[in-house]
Amino acid sequence: MSQQDSVEQWIHELAQLDDGKMTEKQFKIIEAAVEVFSEKGYAGSSTSEIAQRAGVAEGTIFRHYKTKKDLLLSIVSPMMSKLIAPFVLNNFKEVLESNYPSFEDFLYAIMMNRLNFVRKHHKIIKIMLQEIPFQPHLQAEFKQQIGTQVFQRLSTIVEHFKSKGEIIERPSQELLRFMASSMIGLLATHFILMPDQPWDEEQEIRDTIRLIMNGMSTK
Amino acid sequence: MSQQDSVEQWIHELAQLDDGKMTEKQFKIIEAAVEVFSEKGYAGSSTSEIAQRAGVAEGTIFRHYKTKKDLLLSIVSPMMSKLIAPFVLNNFKEVLESNYPSFEDFLYAIMMNRLNFVRKHHKIIKIMLQEIPFQPHLQAEFKQQIGTQVFQRLSTIVEHFKSKGEIIERPSQELLRFMASSMIGLLATHFILMPDQPWDEEQEIRDTIRLIMNGMSTK
Amino acid sequence: MSQQDSVEQWIHELAQLDDGKMTEKQFKIIEAAVEVFSEKGYAGSSTSEIAQRAGVAEGTIFRHYKTKKDLLLSIVSPMMSKLIAPFVLNNFKEVLESNYPSFEDFLYAIMMNRLNFVRKHHKIIKIMLQEIPFQPHLQAEFKQQIGTQVFQRLSTIVEHFKSKGEIIERPSQELLRFMASSMIGLLATHFILMPDQPWDEEQEIRDTIRLIMNGMSTK
Amino acid sequence: MSQQDSVEQWIHELAQLDDGKMTEKQFKIIEAAVEVFSEKGYAGSSTSEIAQRAGVAEGTIFRHYKTKKDLLLSIVSPMMSKLIAPFVLNNFKEVLESNYPSFEDFLYAIMMNRLNFVRKHHKIIKIMLQEIPFQPHLQAEFKQQIGTQVFQRLSTIVEHFKSKGEIIERPSQELLRFMASSMIGLLATHFILMPDQPWDEEQEIRDTIRLIMNGMSTK
DNA sequence: GATGAATGAGCCTTCATTCAT
DNA sequence: TATGAATGAAGGCTCATTCAT
């Protein structure tokens, strides 16, 4: 699936959040906004350029989004939930336990899953990372979603494996940070630092997970 | 040493790059610019606010820095070299081998060192990270400094330990990324994500290095 | 016809060059710009004063003209062609020969015609003369229009009368300069040097042409 | 004599008006100001560029000239008198009658004289012509000097020749304008319109005067 | 709903001028 | 006398936003 296609898909998903009421124009606006924001940053972008690239009159943007910030949030905010969606499945723990024979298999599965997600939405994720420090609204959302929802669920998992003696006895926060850092580092390297350099995804992911597992394993 | 003091120190170091010729006003301007840029981002900051916070007329800024971008670069650009300074010491390898009995000790030392550096300059580093994606000049510098200088030196080290059989046989790039991710993840967590939450530095650093060593060790 | 009216007429002519699409506001802007530029010179005028006199927000100017210089050129540039229009009629020579029994009659006719033109557009012509030395674009246009188009056509005429023995044998360039100087001198005197002093147009023009004819005649 | 030399000479003459008290710096300032004003026009020039070209601190200009306008006037104003100096000699009429057998000879002499003057000072004259329309002070001076002093003296001469029957009976104003236009037109052509094109000065001047004489002569 | 002309606050930058050294 | 750092008003221009059509 091409990048263009993936952005389109994302926009369609957004549209459904708005009860599926999204005009052709509105679609073009979001598409253009993602483009421009990710190229120049939120503050460095002008609504007039977005309008131009969207092939839409300047005023049209403000018919759909009260302000420029509104436009930003309407793009970035829903992305946050999508990003962590797999971790907050209702039956997350069950899925995990019933589907994956080992923790390592679980890590691999979730990594491949998020890798594909990031690949599809890297522009919006770039915008999100850039703007979290400056948008209190995004900060709050981030803290609540990651800090509370995801962290707590993952903690439970880690505790579980610690109690089974498979993982060393260190604070869950540290262990989770270690895992997250390694995996995010992998994604960052290939999507941000060296986006043009080809890589053997499967191999590198397996290696990374191996390093993580070795690091935390009690054996 | 207070944060304020550390920023002052940094500015003094900058001053020395300019042959020590730095006015009182120029000093105040940089100080204010660091403040404002890190709070609002480069594009979101106005020179008039910087002038105001510096207690200086707006025109004064432009007597010392031809443009707003000039001001940004004169703050961020020198920081890049400082950030990687320890890795590009002329006698880096010797220092490493003669002073540190084990690789682990070396990691610990360099981690503590960079931790203190980041603590002192976190505002400027924040600005740097925010602006690298949008400032070609910074991008080039970053690629050259990190990508070439630092990466090559560290590779040598890692190869060395691989050949001694202490580290597993995986591509150096992967191993370095793994190490860097874990350590940067630690810094990011405490300086960016949760800057207000207290933590036991020594303990967490030791733990993190332990996880890294376990991950890469051949034992 | 009052001066005000003549400026309005000129602006309407400009409008037609733009496919007749000219807002009320745009009209006011040009009107004010002509006023201010001719009073204070291009560099000495501020867009804010133009906006004020036009009863328009400053931003409105820049919606219609990308830059201040654009505004200047859009006023002055079309004037150049109008100024020399009579000389570059397709059938210029025929008109001349069939309508005017003598060269003197022709001179008189063209002088009266241009006199009325200058009277109507003296403000814009003043701006044009002031700015030609500083605007390469205008310089180029001037050289091409006058230097090439007009000069060549008039040369042909003069050669014609020289060959008929009515005009003395001197380089056409000199003769044309002599004619132009005398006539432009007349206009300059009454429109620039002494704009408030009344004069007998017909008489002075006839006299001037007489002086010119005497000067060049072979008799 | 090179152009550079002539500007220097002019500045020295200016210096003498100030009781010869002109420092090296002051000299450089005027030199630079003439250069810059003539290149970019008064309003388009900045005192900082003048200071820079003069190799002088910005403040130094204002030690010698209270304002930028002061600097302009101190350059242009004295030039006006110089320009018309030959016409206002105390014994102008005597000189004329005793030295020049015919009116034509007189015209030739004065033309050659002013030609050399304009050649030497064309930059300052350009500034003068550009600024007269915008500087009331210069306007007043111009009107008084030309309009009163020069015009009256020349009128007397013309009347004299009219009474001798050598010149046709037309208003002196018209005749003078005719003469002045032709001669100024000649200068303007070669110093302003086509400064780079070589010309046979003596020949063109003689031709022009011949045209003028033919025009006005009673024969 | 869509347009795009209009707005006016605000932006970065320049400039003539001042004044302590 | 000469300097040049400092000033702050003003300049040209951009921008998010509004609103009549």
Side-chain angles (χ1 to χ4, degrees):
Chain A
M1 179 186 273
S2 79
Q3 256 179 39
Q4 202 51 39
D5 289 344
S6 82
V7 168
E8 282 186 23
Q9 179 189 320
W10 163 249
I11 294 168
H12 280 305
E13 286 170 20
L14 273 186
Q16 286 168 357
L17 290 179
D18 294 350
D19 303 328
K21 285 173 195 164
M22 191 183 239
T23 58
E24 168 73 13
K25 303 266 179 190
Q26 201 167 350
F27 178 89
K28 287 268 176 76
I29 289 168
I30 297 261
E31 200 174 29
V34 168
E35 203 78 19
V36 179
F37 284 159
S38 81
E39 269 174 40
K40 317 196 162 177
Y42 169 72
S45 304
S46 78
T47 52
S48 91
E49 179 172 0
I50 293 169
Q52 210 173 314
R53 284 214 212 173
V56 147
E58 295 193 45
T60 307
I61 291 177
F62 293 92
R63 177 151 302 280
H64 295 287
Y65 306 92
K66 226 158 51 90
T67 64
K68 185 187 171 193
K69 188 159 290 171
D70 238 49
L71 175 58
L72 170 72
L73 295 181
S74 84
I75 290 169
V76 172
S77 200
M79 176 55 85
M80 202 107 69
S81 340
K82 297 268 175 187
L83 187 55
I84 60 157
F87 305 103
V88 293
L89 286 176
N90 273 334
N91 52 350
F92 180 52
K93 218 177 141 190
E94 295 165 32
V95 170
L96 165 60
E97 284 170 353
S98 60
N99 292 333
Y100 303 103
S102 72
F103 188 55
E104 188 163 355
D105 291 330
F106 160 71
L107 278 185
Y108 180 75
I110 213 158
M111 188 66 190
M112 286 305 286
N113 177 281
R114 290 300 83 187
L115 166 68
N116 284 319
F117 184 85
V118 170
R119 192 199 330 279
K120 286 203 294 196
H121 304 307
H122 67 270
K123 281 185 189 170
I124 299 175
I125 289 171
K126 182 186 173 192
I127 300 171
M128 187 180 88
L129 292 175
Q130 286 285 339
E131 289 309 315
I132 282 178
F134 305 127
Q135 309 294 343
H137 184 265
L138 292 180
Q139 261 167 58
E141 221 166 315
F142 179 80
K143 258 185 189 141
Q144 197 252 326
Q145 303 242 29
I146 309 291
T148 313
Q149 304 238 42
V150 178
F151 177 72
Q152 279 180 7
R153 282 162 190 261
L154 292 181
S155 281
T156 316
I157 314 277
V158 168
E159 299 290 348
H160 172 73
F161 285 102
K162 275 202 286 193
S163 72
K164 279 175 64 182
E166 294 184 17
I167 285 182
I168 60 175
E169 275 295 341
R170 297 275 73 225
S172 292
Q173 204 185 96
E174 286 185 19
L175 297 173
L176 284 171
R177 184 184 63 230
F178 172 65
M179 291 164 58
S181 298
S182 302
M183 300 180 93
I184 291 171
L186 175 58
L187 297 177
T189 301
H190 290 294
F191 287 108
I192 299 181
L193 292 185
M194 309 155 68
D196 300 323
Q197 192 163 314
W199 58 300
D200 181 341
E201 288 175 17
E202 237 186 89
Q203 185 60 47
E204 289 208 29
I205 290 179
R206 288 208 183 280
D207 286 351
T208 300
I209 288 173
R210 197 86 288 280
L211 289 163
I212 294 172
M213 292 309 294
N214 280 349
M216 304 192 309
S217 151
T218 47
K219 278 177 299 186
Chain B
M1 182 187 272
S2 80
Q3 255 180 40
Q4 202 50 39
D5 290 344
S6 83
V7 168
E8 283 186 22
Q9 180 189 320
W10 164 248
I11 294 168
H12 279 305
E13 286 169 20
L14 271 187
Q16 285 168 356
L17 290 179
D18 293 352
D19 303 328
K21 284 175 196 163
M22 193 181 236
T23 342
E24 167 71 14
K25 303 267 177 185
Q26 200 168 349
F27 179 91
K28 289 266 179 73
I29 289 168
I30 297 258
E31 202 173 26
V34 168
E35 204 77 20
V36 179
F37 284 158
S38 82
E39 268 174 40
K40 316 197 163 178
Y42 169 72
S45 303
S46 79
T47 51
S48 92
E49 178 170 0
I50 293 170
Q52 213 170 318
R53 284 215 212 171
V56 147
E58 204 168 351
T60 306
I61 291 176
F62 293 93
R63 172 158 299 277
H64 296 289
Y65 305 92
K66 233 155 52 89
T67 63
K68 187 188 169 192
K69 187 160 290 169
D70 236 51
L71 176 58
L72 171 72
L73 295 182
S74 83
I75 290 170
V76 172
S77 200
M79 177 55 87
M80 202 107 68
S81 338
K82 298 265 175 188
L83 186 56
I84 60 157
F87 304 102
V88 292
L89 283 176
N90 271 335
N91 53 350
F92 179 52
K93 219 177 141 193
E94 296 166 32
V95 170
L96 164 60
E97 285 170 352
S98 62
N99 293 330
Y100 304 102
S102 71
F103 189 55
E104 189 163 355
D105 290 329
F106 160 72
L107 279 185
Y108 180 74
I110 213 156
M111 189 66 191
M112 286 305 287
N113 176 283
R114 291 300 84 188
L115 167 68
N116 284 319
F117 184 85
V118 171
R119 192 199 330 278
K120 284 204 295 195
H121 303 308
H122 64 109
K123 283 185 188 169
I124 299 174
I125 289 171
K126 184 186 174 193
I127 300 171
M128 186 179 89
L129 293 175
Q130 287 286 338
E131 289 309 315
I132 281 178
F134 304 126
Q135 310 292 344
H137 185 265
L138 293 180
Q139 260 167 58
E141 223 166 311
F142 178 80
K143 255 180 193 147
Q144 198 250 326
Q145 303 243 26
I146 309 291
T148 313
Q149 305 239 39
V150 176
F151 178 73
Q152 279 179 7
R153 282 161 189 262
L154 293 182
S155 282
T156 316
I157 314 274
V158 168
E159 300 290 346
H160 172 73
F161 284 102
K162 276 202 287 196
S163 72
K164 279 175 64 180
E166 295 184 17
I167 285 182
I168 61 175
E169 277 296 340
R170 295 276 75 223
S172 292
Q173 204 185 96
E174 286 187 17
L175 297 173
L176 283 171
R177 186 184 63 230
F178 172 64
M179 290 164 59
S181 298
S182 303
M183 300 179 95
I184 291 171
L186 174 58
L187 296 177
T189 302
H190 290 295
F191 288 108
I192 299 181
L193 293 184
M194 310 155 69
D196 300 325
Q197 192 163 313
W199 57 301
D200 182 340
E201 288 176 13
E202 236 186 271
Q203 185 60 46
E204 289 209 27
I205 290 179
R206 287 206 183 282
D207 286 352
T208 300
I209 288 173
R210 196 88 286 282
L211 288 163
I212 293 172
M213 292 309 294
N214 279 350
M216 302 192 310
S217 152
T218 49
K219 281 175 301 183
Chain C
M1 182 188 271
S2 80
Q3 255 179 42
Q4 203 49 40
D5 289 345
S6 83
V7 167
E8 282 186 24
Q9 179 189 320
W10 164 248
I11 295 168
H12 279 306
E13 287 170 20
L14 272 187
Q16 284 168 357
L17 291 179
D18 294 352
D19 303 328
K21 284 172 194 162
M22 192 183 238
T23 343
E24 167 74 13
K25 302 267 179 188
Q26 201 167 349
F27 179 89
K28 288 267 178 73
I29 289 168
I30 297 255
E31 202 174 27
V34 168
E35 203 78 19
V36 179
F37 284 158
S38 81
E39 268 174 39
K40 315 197 163 178
Y42 170 72
S45 304
S46 79
T47 51
S48 91
E49 179 171 359
I50 293 170
Q52 213 169 317
R53 285 215 211 170
V56 147
E58 201 167 352
T60 307
I61 291 176
F62 293 94
R63 172 159 298 276
H64 295 289
Y65 305 91
K66 235 156 51 89
T67 64
K68 187 189 169 193
K69 187 158 291 170
D70 236 50
L71 175 58
L72 171 71
L73 294 181
S74 82
I75 290 170
V76 172
S77 200
M79 176 56 86
M80 202 107 67
S81 338
K82 298 266 176 187
L83 186 57
I84 60 158
F87 304 103
V88 293
L89 285 177
N90 272 334
N91 52 349
F92 179 51
K93 219 177 140 191
E94 295 165 32
V95 169
L96 163 60
E97 285 170 352
S98 61
N99 293 331
Y100 304 103
S102 72
F103 188 54
E104 190 165 353
D105 290 330
F106 160 71
L107 280 185
Y108 180 74
I110 214 158
M111 188 64 191
M112 285 307 285
N113 176 282
R114 290 300 83 187
L115 166 69
N116 284 319
F117 184 84
V118 170
R119 192 197 334 278
K120 284 204 296 197
H121 304 310
H122 64 109
K123 281 185 189 169
I124 300 175
I125 289 172
K126 183 186 173 192
I127 300 171
M128 186 180 89
L129 292 175
Q130 287 287 337
E131 289 309 315
I132 281 178
F134 304 127
Q135 309 294 345
H137 186 266
L138 293 181
Q139 262 167 57
E141 221 166 313
F142 179 80
K143 257 184 190 142
Q144 199 251 326
Q145 303 242 27
I146 309 291
T148 312
Q149 304 238 41
V150 177
F151 178 74
Q152 279 178 8
R153 282 161 189 263
L154 292 183
S155 282
T156 316
I157 314 277
V158 168
E159 299 290 347
H160 172 72
F161 284 103
K162 274 202 287 193
S163 72
K164 278 176 64 181
E166 294 185 15
I167 285 182
I168 61 174
E169 275 295 341
R170 296 277 75 225
S172 292
Q173 205 185 95
E174 285 186 19
L175 296 174
L176 284 170
R177 186 184 62 230
F178 172 65
M179 290 163 61
S181 298
S182 301
M183 299 179 97
I184 292 172
L186 173 58
L187 297 177
T189 301
H190 289 296
F191 287 109
I192 300 182
L193 292 185
M194 308 155 69
D196 301 324
Q197 192 162 314
W199 57 301
D200 180 341
E201 289 175 17
E202 235 185 272
Q203 184 60 46
E204 289 208 29
I205 290 179
R206 287 206 185 282
D207 286 350
T208 300
I209 288 174
R210 197 87 285 281
L211 289 164
I212 293 173
M213 292 308 293
N214 280 347
M216 304 192 308
S217 153
T218 48
K219 280 176 300 183
Chain D
M1 182 188 271
S2 80
Q3 254 178 43
Q4 202 50 39
D5 290 343
S6 84
V7 168
E8 282 186 23
Q9 179 189 321
W10 163 249
I11 294 167
H12 279 306
E13 287 168 20
L14 272 186
Q16 285 168 358
L17 292 179
D18 293 351
D19 303 328
K21 285 175 196 164
M22 190 183 239
T23 58
E24 168 73 11
K25 302 266 179 190
Q26 202 168 349
F27 178 90
K28 288 268 176 73
I29 289 169
I30 297 262
E31 201 175 28
V34 168
E35 203 77 19
V36 179
F37 284 159
S38 81
E39 269 175 37
K40 316 196 162 177
Y42 169 72
S45 304
S46 78
T47 52
S48 91
E49 180 173 358
I50 293 170
Q52 210 172 316
R53 285 215 211 172
V56 147
E58 295 194 43
T60 307
I61 291 176
F62 293 91
R63 179 151 302 280
H64 295 288
Y65 307 91
K66 227 156 51 88
T67 65
K68 187 188 170 192
K69 189 159 289 172
D70 238 50
L71 175 58
L72 170 72
L73 295 182
S74 83
I75 290 170
V76 172
S77 200
M79 176 55 85
M80 203 107 67
S81 338
K82 298 268 175 186
L83 187 57
I84 59 159
F87 304 103
V88 293
L89 284 177
N90 271 336
N91 52 350
F92 180 52
K93 216 177 145 193
E94 294 164 33
V95 170
L96 163 61
E97 283 171 353
S98 58
N99 292 331
Y100 304 103
S102 71
F103 188 54
E104 189 163 355
D105 290 331
F106 161 71
L107 278 185
Y108 181 73
I110 213 156
M111 189 64 191
M112 286 306 286
N113 177 282
R114 289 301 82 188
L115 166 68
N116 284 319
F117 184 84
V118 169
R119 194 200 326 281
K120 284 203 297 196
H121 303 308
H122 68 273
K123 282 184 188 171
I124 299 175
I125 290 171
K126 183 186 175 194
I127 300 171
M128 187 180 88
L129 292 175
Q130 287 286 338
E131 289 309 316
I132 281 178
F134 305 127
Q135 309 295 344
H137 185 265
L138 293 181
Q139 261 166 57
E141 222 166 313
F142 178 81
K143 259 186 188 141
Q144 198 251 326
Q145 303 240 28
I146 309 290
T148 313
Q149 305 236 40
V150 178
F151 177 72
Q152 279 179 8
R153 282 161 191 262
L154 292 182
S155 282
T156 315
I157 313 278
V158 168
E159 300 290 348
H160 171 74
F161 284 102
K162 275 201 287 193
S163 70
K164 279 176 63 182
E166 294 184 16
I167 287 182
I168 60 175
E169 275 296 341
R170 294 276 76 226
S172 292
Q173 204 185 94
E174 286 186 18
L175 297 174
L176 283 172
R177 185 185 63 231
F178 173 64
M179 290 163 59
S181 298
S182 301
M183 300 179 94
I184 291 172
L186 175 58
L187 297 177
T189 302
H190 290 294
F191 287 108
I192 299 182
L193 292 185
M194 309 155 69
D196 300 324
Q197 191 163 314
W199 57 301
D200 181 341
E201 288 175 15
E202 235 186 274
Q203 183 61 46
E204 290 208 27
I205 290 179
R206 286 206 185 282
D207 286 352
T208 300
I209 289 174
R210 196 88 284 281
L211 289 163
I212 293 173
M213 291 310 294
N214 279 348
M216 303 193 308
S217 152
T218 49
K219 282 175 301 182

